[in-house]
Amino acid sequence: MSDCLFCKIVNGEIPSKKLYEDDQCLAFYDIDPQAPVHFLVIPKEHLASVSSVNEKNDAVVGHIFSVIAKLTNKLQLGSYRVVSNIGGQAGQSVFHLHFHVLAGRDMTWPPG
Ligand code: AMP
Ligand code: ZN
């Protein structure tokens, strides 16, 4: 999608600090980290949020979770949180599906 920030990161129009890339997804560090380790994993295909996932496109979500497991194991993150905000009230600010991976500090529950 031409006016989507994360599509621009996928196609290289906007730079990012890449952690991992393959044909289906991209992982890069968050520009405004909320924990000592904070990166995002996104599908290369534009999907607005979890609400846009369906039986035709859901394979990429499983793939993203296997990439999250691979990266967090490689980074030796024993404990971490995976978050996806859906909609403005939940705090979504970029409307391209993404999973936050946060680690390196104590986390509170429930989230604010
Ligand atoms: P959310 O608010 O859940 O939609 O998450 C969007 C995330 O994207 C926020 O944590 C932002 O800090 C992050 N973000 C925005 N612009 C960039 C960028 N250019 N590079 C990396 N992360 C970004
Ligand atoms: Zn997009």
Side-chain angles (χ1 to χ4, degrees):
M1 222 172 92
S2 57
D3 62 345
C4 169
L5 177 69
F6 286 177
C7 284
K8 287 181 180 170
I9 286 179
V10 168
N11 70 27
E13 264 182 80
I14 291 177
S16 67
K17 200 175 159 200
K18 275 183 205 173
L19 178 62
Y20 175 85
E21 181 171 16
D22 63 27
D23 57 326
Q24 294 181 69
C25 73
L26 177 67
F28 55 97
Y29 286 100
D30 197 290
I31 204 167
D32 181 21
Q34 301 301 312
V37 179
H38 184 181
F39 60 87
L40 305 172
V41 189
I42 70 171
K44 287 191 165 177
E45 178 190 4
H46 181 88
L47 299 171
S49 76
V50 168
S51 294
S52 301
V53 176
N54 58 46
E55 46 294 322
K56 284 188 183 149
N57 60 28
D58 62 3
V60 73
V61 177
H63 178 69
I64 283 172
F65 274 83
S66 85
V67 166
I68 289 171
K70 197 186 309 186
L71 293 176
T72 51
N73 284 327
K74 193 175 163 192
L75 295 169
Q76 297 187 301
L77 304 177
S79 185
Y80 57 93
R81 186 170 286 177
V82 180
V83 176
S84 191
N85 299 318
I86 296 103
Q89 190 174 26
Q92 186 174 11
S93 61
V94 178
F95 288 80
H96 179 128
L97 177 64
H98 53 282
F99 295 91
H100 296 259
V101 179
L102 301 124
R105 65 165 171 82
D106 293 340
M107 308 269 171
T108 58
W109 191 262

